[in-house]
Amino acid sequence: MENSDLDSQKLLSLLCHGACLFSATIVSVGIPIFILFTTEDSVVKANAREALNFQITIFIAAFIASLLIFVVIGLFILPIIVLVSIILPIMAMVKVLEQPGQPYRYPLTLRLI
């Protein structure tokens, strides 16, 4: 693969996973969706899909935890979800830089897309 292609692959993959750090905004899903539909690179598309799946999983988990706040257990789960939504995208960005030819897979993520 040409060096400029590798650089653009890294950049677009980083954008997909980095957008996850803007959780609860349209940016967190908007950037990966835009990249998914505009790129031809299969690795970048896989990273965009994975970032979207991660965001969907985080939204579902946060919704369930917010409902469980009324049962007190949500008070303990919600901070864990916040930490996971920050730490895992950073880990994904590091892995994308280390292994640009392989899409990153988030652990414990629903694969809906």
Side-chain angles (χ1 to χ4, degrees), residues 14-55:
L14 281 172
L15 281 173
C16 289
H17 295 295
C20 293
L21 295 173
F22 295 103
S23 25
T25 67
I26 195 70
V27 173
S28 67
V29 293
I31 289 174
I33 287 173
F34 178 77
I35 291 173
L36 181 65
F37 288 117
T38 58
T39 189
E40 298 295 321
D41 190 327
S42 62
V43 173
V44 174
K45 281 184 180 263
N47 278 313
R49 266 191 224 95
E50 193 65 17
L52 285 169
N53 285 328
F54 178 70
Q55 279 303 315

Side-chain angles (χ1 to χ4, degrees), residues 24-95:
T25 67
I26 195 70
V27 173
S28 67
V29 293
I31 289 174
I33 287 173
F34 178 77
I35 291 173
L36 181 65
F37 288 117
T38 58
T39 189
E40 298 295 321
D41 190 327
S42 62
V43 173
V44 174
K45 281 184 180 263
N47 278 313
R49 266 191 224 95
E50 193 65 17
L52 285 169
N53 285 328
F54 178 70
Q55 279 303 315
I56 292 168
T57 303
I58 290 295
F59 288 146
I60 291 170
F63 178 74
I64 291 170
S66 65
L67 291 177
L68 291 175
I69 283 178
F70 298 111
V71 193
V72 179
I73 194 167
L75 291 173
F76 301 106
I77 296 173
L78 207 51
I80 294 169
I81 293 170
V82 170
L83 284 174
V84 166
S85 71
I86 294 169
I87 293 169
L88 287 182
I90 292 171
M91 288 175 54
M93 292 167 62
V94 169
K95 287 292 185 182

